[in-house]
Amino acid sequence: MAAVTLTASCATSEDQQSDTTDTPSSAAQPPLTAEAALGDLAAVDFCALLDPRTIEEAEGTIDFERPGFSHCLVGVDTPDATMTLTVGNLYDESQQTVWPTEDEELSRGLHRQSIDSEIGCLRALVFGDDIGLTIAARELEGAEQGEPEATCRIADAATDGVQSAALSDEVFTHSFQPGSLAEIEPCSLLDDADAADVLGDGVAAQEAVGGHGCTWPAMTDASAELSFDVALQPDLTDFADEIAGRPTMTATLGDFGCEVSTPHIAFSADDPNEREVVAVSVTASEMDPCAAASELAGLVWPELPESP
């Protein structure tokens, strides 16, 4: 999970006491694992975890929802701010180095956490098997800056809804279309040896929790990530380049990063403009990240199924 640094300036909502109080029967239950709460981790419908009522009660209005393989992106308007809300991005807490500033133990071993950050408010629910799910709210870049409390209020309200969903008896599964990228194991698209030829020695693939992503950190300062995502693409105009016969878009990521991506089929039949996308990104200070990302894409793109 990409590190996000946030300022946790809001207290956890208190209106979920009915969910957080252990009864004799709940205390005897086994710890709640992420899969028991959410269903198949490779097919979680993260948008379905949201409860619009909790957002409305926090004076927020949902402007849009964009589903994805690893998270749900939500636009929220409040009287004080315009912001984006991200729900998902599963991670293994045992491998994290960022510690929460607040940690509340709920029923069945579920923990609700606040994590420091400088660009918004970050909350997390950590299940009994140490798999965490993040809820992050941040003000929209370029929008008039509002009150930080509004961002935290929405993050807490969204967490209330996700918490209730996690403790319910439902599971939240997305049905992928035939031919979806979900059918592919991302780490299988690039050999470690080929990645090492580009990035340097010591490369070993690490699959993301839930699949749909793989990273190749090297012993040098370079690292690469392959991810499946969803982008709003009414047409392919932005994919003006070509690598291995596939339309490709290149974008810089700060001073030391670069991402190349190629489109695939529609994510769902509900909105043909929401397309699956394969992205290869490289972060490096001692090599050209765009040249490295393009070279890796040249190895990955031929392994992808044809896009109609």
Side-chain angles (χ1 to χ4, degrees):
M1 182 185 74
V4 186
T5 40
L6 305 176
T7 301
S9 57
C10 305
T12 302
S13 299
E14 299 179 355
D15 58 359
Q16 298 292 315
Q17 291 181 357
S18 60
D19 288 332
T20 64
T21 303
D22 280 332
T23 64
S25 60
S26 67
Q29 290 180 305
L32 180 66
T33 66
E35 188 165 334
L38 307 174
D40 182 357
L41 298 187
V44 179
D45 184 347
F46 293 102
C47 291
L49 296 172
L50 281 171
D51 185 348
R53 294 172 300 179
T54 64
I55 304 297
E56 293 171 1
E57 291 167 0
E59 302 181 72
T61 302
I62 294 179
D63 182 38
F64 67 85
E65 292 183 9
R66 187 175 304 158
F69 289 96
S70 60
H71 64 265
C72 177
L73 179 66
V74 186
V76 178
D77 293 323
T78 73
D80 304 307
T82 299
M83 66 191 73
T84 57
L85 178 69
T86 305
V87 177
N89 294 322
L90 300 173
Y91 65 97
D92 185 344
E93 190 190 39
S94 66
Q95 299 179 5
Q96 298 303 304
T97 57
V98 178
W99 303 103
T101 55
E102 297 179 22
D103 188 332
E104 177 187 4
E105 184 172 2
L106 311 176
S107 62
R108 299 187 61 186
L110 181 67
H111 284 249
R112 177 168 173 156
Q113 299 178 345
S114 297
I115 302 171
D116 275 350
S117 181
E118 298 174 352
I119 56 173
C121 276
L122 180 62
R123 305 294 184 249
L125 293 175
V126 181
F127 297 93
D129 53 357
D130 285 337
I131 299 300
L133 178 151
T134 62
I135 302 96
R138 60 180 297 181
E139 291 193 33
L140 196 64
E141 291 184 14
E144 183 176 348
Q145 297 300 296
E147 294 295 328
E149 290 79 7
T151 310
C152 292
R153 187 172 68 243
I154 293 298
D156 285 329
T159 306
D160 289 343
V162 176
Q163 174 182 316
S164 293
L167 290 169
S168 72
D169 294 327
E170 297 182 63
V171 292
F172 306 88
T173 303
H174 176 79
S175 297
F176 296 99
Q177 296 211 91
S180 169
L181 296 171
E183 300 173 0
I184 303 173
E185 294 183 5
C187 292
S188 70
L189 295 172
L190 181 64
D191 290 337
D192 288 355
D194 291 335
D197 287 342
V198 177
L199 302 172
D201 295 333
V203 172
Q206 300 176 4
E207 186 176 30
V209 176
H212 311 314
C214 192
T215 57
W216 287 267
M219 293 180 66
T220 64
D221 78 321
S223 64
E225 179 177 4
L226 187 153
S227 59
F228 300 158
D229 207 344
V230 175
L232 188 63
Q233 295 290 343
D235 55 50
L236 303 183
T237 305
D238 292 336
F239 298 88
D241 301 325
E242 185 175 296
I243 294 178
R246 293 186 67 103
T248 301
M249 177 170 58
T250 302
T252 57
L253 304 174
D255 294 331
F256 305 109
C258 188
E259 177 182 272
V260 295
S261 57
T262 188
H264 192 49
I265 63 174
F267 184 68
S268 70
D270 296 334
D271 190 342
N273 293 330
E274 292 177 345
R275 299 181 69 98
E276 298 184 355
V277 172
V278 184
V280 173
S281 60
V282 170
T283 302
S285 62
E286 298 180 1
M287 66 175 68
D288 182 344
C290 287
S294 296
E295 187 173 353
L296 293 175
L299 300 171
V300 171
W301 284 193
E303 303 301 317
L304 299 174
E306 293 187 10
S307 179

